[in-house]
Amino acid sequence: MESLLAVQGQDFVLTASSSSAVRGITVLKPDDDKSQILNSHNLMLYCGEAGDTTNFAEYIAANISLYTLRHNLNLSPEATASFTRKQLATSLRSRKPYQVNILLAGYETNLGKPELFWLDYLATCVRVPYACQGYSSFYCLSIFDRYYKPDLTIDEAVRIMKLCFDELKKRMPIDFKGFICKVVDKDGIREINI
Amino acid sequence: MSGYDRALSVFSPDGRLLQVEYGQEAVRRGTTAIALRGNECIVIGVERKNVPKLQNVSNFQKIAMVDNHVCLAFAGLNADARILIDKARVEAQNHKLNLADPVSIEYLTRYVAGVQQKYTQSGGVRPFGVSTLIAGFDVGDNTPRVYQTEPAGIYNAWKATAIGRASKAAREYLEKNWKEGLSRDETIHLAVSSLLEVVQTASGNIELAIMDPGKDVEFLHSDKIDTIVKEIQDEKEAEAARKKSGRSAPGVSTTSTIQ
């Protein structure tokens, strides 16, 4: 039972991932970070089958850094998303597919704009302005629908995120043990407290 | 033709592997590369080959990044080096994926040397005509590390060393001038001046990378290299002038005695 949220603002992407690691009905850990830094301006949030998730994220990260070293080129969020999608698509048609759902938040340094991609284990890949993964999408998408606008500032995005957290607290029977929030913008990736 | 230089894995009667020695000869004809340790930094310098006037300056760097904390410079056959570097890069990422830790410099050197050795003992292949300098800092450690590998698969750790065309002259210069605890600027200075000993035309023909623990590698801009080159040349001229003026006084008397 995990939850990933992300919203894109005018020059950043704000992401949040639930911080509990759960197995069955037991909470294993209250401060689990479900994100993997792919390069200086690309962050991958993942959830799904435990084990598959970290394995897949690390595999993607290793391949992205190998590509960067080979070609002396930093991959854009779109290229990263395409590569990740292709890996998921290949895996889907193998004997044991990865069951991983992903939000990919990035900042395209050449064009100076933020980008957000939603991917699931069936290798769907969509560019979206805001996204959720998990049951929380039932509650949070409507909030994003209501309050999102393309020129969100970071403060406004934080406010929307807080509305989501409140809603989840109110409506869902699950305690996520809080969220780890990160911002991807022109300066790279940083964690913030909400 | 003795016949012992045909098949790679056949010894000559005096116990040598001629193909491997030819590989070392290819290295001796390659452009010069040097690497030296400072107190808390490493400087890697290479000589660039002269590019024909009409050729686009290629973006292929002679100093390659194997991982974010490891640099590799080489002398010898360019194309062979490309393959070797790629193998090293894949191994570096594999190591990180399997063990969750970035490679140590020695491990990577051992791997590269291992690959080179394999190519001296298998059938149907020829050795890499490449010597490499592998340098960097182990993650979380401030000790500078410089290693060298050779076509035979030998590897050694060095304080400062040179490979390639004029490696002997450069290494002798380093042996004379390298000392423990060099500062960052001194190390760069020594690297440039030892390359100047062996490079024909200085400006634009030197590539320089500086590594500091925990930081990104700095590739020195050619303008900056030019100013350092100029400084060194000025110093040399001043030195020569001083020697001349120092010698000229007794010189007068000697010339007079000869006459």
Side-chain angles (χ1 to χ4, degrees):
Chain A
M1 202 61 69
E2 297 155 319
S3 173
L4 309 177
L5 307 169
V7 57
Q8 177 186 318
Q10 58 180 30
D11 54 2
F12 65 89
V13 183
L14 175 64
T15 69
S17 58
S18 58
S19 47
S20 60
V22 184
R23 184 170 185 274
I25 56 166
T26 311
V27 175
L28 298 174
K29 194 183 177 195
D31 54 354
D32 184 36
D33 188 359
K34 299 175 185 56
S35 71
Q36 170 80 41
I37 294 173
L38 299 181
N39 61 28
S40 62
H41 289 86
N42 277 313
L43 182 70
M44 176 193 261
L45 306 184
Y46 51 82
C47 65
E49 184 76 22
D52 275 13
T53 47
T54 30
N55 201 339
F56 183 72
E58 282 173 7
Y59 171 77
I60 296 292
N63 273 287
I64 298 244
S65 48
L66 181 61
Y67 186 95
T68 307
L69 288 163
R70 273 182 176 163
H71 301 99
N72 198 14
L73 193 75
N74 256 328
L75 282 183
S76 68
E78 193 174 0
T80 312
S82 301
F83 174 72
T84 311
R85 195 203 72 77
K86 170 74 177 163
Q87 295 305 313
L88 282 168
T90 314
S91 154
L92 184 67
R93 288 154 186 87
S94 69
R95 210 162 51 83
K96 175 138 194 330
Y98 281 116
Q99 289 183 33
V100 188
N101 300 315
I102 287 165
L103 294 183
L104 207 130
Y107 187 82
E108 163 67 273
T109 40
N110 294 326
L111 304 175
K113 61 170 197 185
E115 283 174 341
L116 176 62
F117 293 89
W118 183 95
L119 296 92
D120 71 359
Y121 75 103
L122 295 167
T124 320
C125 177
V126 204
R127 186 198 298 258
V128 284
Y130 47 82
C132 308
Q133 234 22 301
Y135 284 118
S136 53
S137 56
F138 292 125
Y139 305 96
C140 297
L141 279 179
S142 52
I143 296 173
F144 285 133
D145 283 335
R146 169 68 184 78
Y147 293 106
Y148 172 80
K149 51 186 188 190
D151 57 346
L152 279 181
T153 64
I154 183 82
D155 290 338
E156 289 168 331
V158 166
R159 206 150 51 233
I160 298 175
M161 214 45 113
K162 272 186 183 154
L163 286 174
C164 290
F165 297 164
D166 289 346
E167 188 72 6
L168 291 174
K169 222 171 258 167
K170 200 196 299 181
R171 295 289 176 187
M172 277 190 84
I174 300 149
D175 180 9
F176 286 122
K177 307 286 174 197
F179 284 81
I180 295 175
C181 301
K182 294 189 178 179
V183 176
V184 185
D185 61 11
K186 65 175 190 327
D187 302 321
I189 299 162
R190 64 174 193 278
E191 197 174 326
I192 59 166
N193 279 323
I194 291 186
Chain B
M1 182 106 21
S2 58
Y4 292 104
D5 56 354
R6 293 299 189 82
L8 165 65
S9 50
V10 172
F11 277 111
S12 75
D14 50 353
R16 299 187 305 164
L17 289 168
L18 291 175
Q19 284 296 320
V20 175
E21 290 182 13
Y22 298 158
Q24 281 155 353
E25 184 57 32
V27 172
R28 274 190 288 274
R29 287 163 196 249
T31 48
T32 316
I34 63 165
L36 53 153
R37 290 172 14 184
N39 192 25
E40 272 200 2
C41 74
I42 301 167
V43 177
I44 303 161
V46 295
E47 172 195 4
R48 249 187 222 268
K49 226 171 52 190
N50 276 327
V51 183
K53 204 169 148 193
L54 295 177
Q55 190 189 331
N56 285 342
V57 178
S58 88
N59 53 3
F60 183 73
Q61 284 179 321
K62 287 239 340 170
I63 305 173
M65 303 290 298
V66 175
D67 200 349
N68 290 322
H69 64 296
V70 194
C71 271
L72 187 153
F74 65 89
L77 301 182
N78 236 293
D80 284 18
R82 221 168 48 217
I83 302 301
L84 202 55
I85 289 167
D86 200 65
K87 282 178 193 281
R89 280 175 176 157
V90 172
E91 178 61 20
Q93 291 306 321
N94 252 334
H95 187 280
K96 208 178 338 187
L97 200 55
N98 291 332
L99 299 161
D101 268 327
V103 282
S104 70
I105 314 303
E106 199 202 333
Y107 174 83
L108 194 80
T109 310
R110 200 163 56 230
Y111 176 78
V112 170
V115 170
Q116 287 183 300
Q117 197 283 332
K118 218 183 278 169
Y119 280 73
T120 67
Q121 216 175 9
S122 345
V125 297
R126 68 167 168 78
F128 284 91
V130 169
S131 271
T132 68
L133 294 173
I134 298 174
F137 296 87
D138 292 346
V139 168
D141 186 9
N142 290 351
T143 324
R145 293 174 201 280
V146 172
Y147 289 89
Q148 189 203 125
T149 73
E150 285 171 35
I154 305 165
Y155 70 94
N156 293 301
W158 293 80
K159 295 185 173 82
T161 186
I163 52 177
R165 198 170 49 79
S167 58
K168 203 158 166 254
R171 192 178 300 142
E172 274 165 11
Y173 185 86
L174 285 168
E175 275 165 6
K176 223 180 285 166
N177 293 289
W178 189 89
K179 52 184 188 291
E180 208 73 55
L182 288 173
S183 75
R184 196 172 187 274
D185 284 339
E186 283 168 347
T187 321
I188 298 171
H189 201 274
L190 178 56
V192 176
S193 58
S194 49
L195 273 177
L196 280 181
E197 294 283 306
V198 298
V199 174
Q200 291 130 352
T201 42
S203 79
N205 278 4
I206 294 178
E207 199 178 300
L208 221 58
I210 302 143
M211 307 183 80
D212 300 292
K215 280 195 215 151
D216 282 348
V217 178
E218 183 187 346
F219 287 94
L220 216 57
H221 201 265
S222 57
D223 297 345
K224 264 193 182 161
I225 297 179
D226 284 349
T227 46
I228 298 171
V229 167
K230 203 144 187 233
E231 266 174 39
I232 292 170
Q233 277 166 349
D234 288 349
E235 266 170 40
K236 265 189 196 157
E237 271 166 31
E239 179 86 358
R242 215 181 49 219
K243 266 187 190 159
K244 219 182 211 173
S245 62
R247 212 182 288 148
S248 64
V252 175
S253 60
T254 44
T255 41
S256 60
T257 47
I258 286 166
Q259 285 170 343

